[in-house]
Amino acid sequence: MQGICVLGATGSIGTSALEVIARHPDRFRVAALTAQRNVAALVALARRFAPPLAVIADVAQLPLLQQQLRAAGLPTRALGGAEALVEAVLSPEVDTVIAAIVGAAGLPPTLAAARAGKRILLANKEAIVCAGALLIEAVRNSGAQLLPLDSEHSALHQCLAGAADASRAVRRLILTASGGPFRNRADLSAVTPEEACAHPNWVMGPKISVDSATLMNKGLEVIEASWLFGFPPQQIDVVVHPQSVVHSMVEFVDGSVVAQLGTPDMRTPLAYALGFPERIESGSAFLDFLALGHLTFEAPDLSRFPCLRLAYEAARAGGSASVWLNAANEEAVAAFLARRLPFTAIATVIEATLAQAPTTVPRSLQDVLDADAAARRYARALIGATA
Ligand code: NAD
Ligand code: MG
């Protein structure tokens, strides 16, 4: 029986994860659930899964959480605040941590899980983008296990299975991108948050939806793949594949390409990681090749989507550049969603912020948090000046 902590349980990934978990009560037991501030949603999940622990990151909501858990007659212990997220992953009842918080806010508990030798199923790409070196080192030192949930990285993990010496055998990793909702839209100046969040193939949280619309999501995924699989960014290519059926590919030196396919449903990568190395049912629909008709591929347009270029630049620069890239993106996306920044200015803010990133290499969690805070200050000032 695996004891599972779901960080970000009320989100898109958290909810899908709990659906897969609920299909396998013989394998998984929910040990802890966390959310940012939505007490009602967290209590609804607590009623269904009766976890020993529930955490609300916004400590002001803790009294309400305690009161509602008591009213529901649940034995669930309640904690509040960002430090309680770390406490949740360190609980002895937790074997596996589903890291599904959005943004760099998910880094401290994810790193704590890595240091404690837990099995980590990672959706929170911003954590590995900001602190890839620290996270991978912690996993190695503690004997933790790190499995990707991002569909592209789950695909790469599956394509690489069985490659004896990947560093010699692989010519390049090929990440597929849907192209987002604006693949065929020439003028992006008047894009609204509603349009940006209407993804053609996936239903996701608002931040990653905007990232998919700017292609920053793919840029973050290049950096994520680089850390997870140990390849430099020059060996990772992006190809636009609007059907989102091929989730990514590995090209080997002998000319073979191995691809992983499936319907676009996050329950598939969730079930792969939850069951690994076994295969378990996910609830996803199966692919109907005859109904698919055709699969198409095209190059990404870096002039309309400069965020992908900026992410490659940050990946090549190394050091704190990825932290600055991510922080500027989080601030710019939040401002866009709040209608304080035009869509096309997201890239402008990131480019100007990234230009200020120092060449220093963050050596500790505190270094990363300091770089994140400095970059956010810079980006916020720029956004204030733009708005
Ligand atoms: P979401 O907005 O739907 O959910 C985010 C969750 O994190 C919520 O439970 C929220 O309460 C919690 N949260 C937000 N800010 C927090 C904070 N400061 N402290 C503590 N908890 C906080 O987001 P999502 O779409 O589920 O994405 C989660 C992560 O997974 C992101 O990093 C995203 O890039 C990645 N991801 C998502 C998908 C997808 O299909 N949704 C696919 C691949 C990767
Ligand atoms: Mg992805």
Side-chain angles (χ1 to χ4, degrees):
M1 207 57 154
Q2 268 184 70
I4 309 228
C5 168
V6 186
L7 297 172
T10 54
S12 163
I13 291 287
T15 309
S16 297
L18 287 165
E19 273 179 45
V20 177
I21 288 167
R23 298 178 77 90
H24 302 279
D26 51 321
R27 287 175 181 266
F28 309 119
R29 180 176 35 79
V30 176
L33 294 174
T34 86
Q36 159 84 320
R37 63 169 67 89
N38 189 340
V39 168
L42 186 57
V43 170
L45 292 174
R47 280 179 191 274
R48 181 154 173 223
F49 293 97
L53 180 63
V55 173
I56 197 86
D58 178 0
V59 74
Q61 305 297 322
L62 180 58
L64 184 63
L65 176 62
Q66 286 167 327
Q67 179 208 322
Q68 294 203 1
L69 288 172
R70 227 178 299 122
L74 289 165
T76 304
R77 192 162 65 98
L79 291 173
E83 326 73 48
L85 298 169
V86 172
E87 209 171 311
V89 306
L90 297 182
S91 154
E93 288 171 272
V94 170
D95 309 300
T96 297
V97 174
I98 297 188
I101 288 175
V102 59
L107 173 59
T110 305
L111 192 59
R115 289 183 172 150
K118 307 276 176 167
R119 179 170 157 114
I120 302 160
L121 314 190
L122 182 77
N124 183 200
K125 61 192 84 185
E126 296 90 351
I128 194 165
V129 164
C130 290
L134 296 178
L135 200 58
I136 297 297
E137 191 195 9
V139 165
R140 203 168 290 146
N141 290 343
S142 70
Q145 192 177 20
L146 181 59
L147 289 161
L149 290 178
D150 219 339
S151 57
E152 295 75 4
H153 305 77
S154 175
L156 293 173
H157 193 271
Q158 296 177 59
C159 296
L160 286 165
D165 183 357
S167 65
R168 281 167 187 245
V170 170
R171 181 158 177 272
R172 60 182 179 136
L173 309 181
I174 306 166
L175 291 175
T176 53
S178 69
F182 308 132
R183 187 170 59 89
N184 292 320
R185 179 158 159 177
D187 181 6
L188 300 178
S189 55
V191 161
T192 65
E194 290 74 20
E195 290 170 329
C197 289
H199 195 277
N201 304 338
W202 302 93
V203 181
M204 308 179 287
K207 192 265 179 180
I208 185 179
S209 296
V210 177
D211 286 349
S212 299
T214 61
L215 291 201
M216 178 54 92
N217 182 50
K218 213 47 57 178
L220 298 176
E221 290 182 355
V222 168
I223 303 173
E224 179 183 12
S226 174
W227 286 117
L228 281 173
F229 303 110
F231 291 97
Q234 337 38 298
Q235 247 179 304
I236 307 172
D237 285 345
V238 169
V239 53
V240 173
H241 165 49
Q243 296 83 16
S244 296
V245 166
V246 176
H247 296 307
S248 279
M249 303 179 260
V250 176
E251 181 177 73
F252 291 93
V253 290
D254 59 7
S256 282
V257 177
V258 178
Q260 186 263 349
L261 287 71
T263 48
D265 186 328
M266 288 307 293
R267 290 175 299 176
T268 297
L270 276 158
Y272 174 75
L274 278 163
F276 187 81
E278 288 173 46
R279 293 276 183 172
I280 61 174
E281 279 181 23
S282 67
S284 298
F286 293 96
L287 264 188
D288 178 350
F289 283 94
L290 302 181
L292 275 179
H294 55 277
L295 301 176
T296 60
F297 300 91
E298 63 196 51
D301 179 349
L302 296 187
S303 62
R304 272 187 312 133
F305 302 106
C307 286
L308 180 55
R309 168 178 60 80
L310 294 171
Y312 269 106
E313 285 173 18
R316 277 192 294 269
S320 55
S322 296
V323 185
W324 280 63
L325 174 93
N326 179 70
N329 183 55
E330 286 192 31
E331 291 295 326
V333 169
F336 165 71
L337 285 170
R339 297 176 211 278
R340 289 191 289 109
L341 193 73
F343 183 78
T344 47
I346 295 174
T348 320
V349 166
I350 298 167
E351 181 146 34
T353 306
L354 189 56
Q356 302 299 315
T359 52
T360 47
V361 178
R363 304 269 177 217
S364 64
L365 175 59
Q366 195 55 51
D367 287 353
V368 174
L369 299 178
D370 290 346
D372 176 76
R376 282 175 200 267
R377 273 195 301 277
Y378 192 88
R380 274 189 206 139
L382 275 180
I383 292 165
T386 312

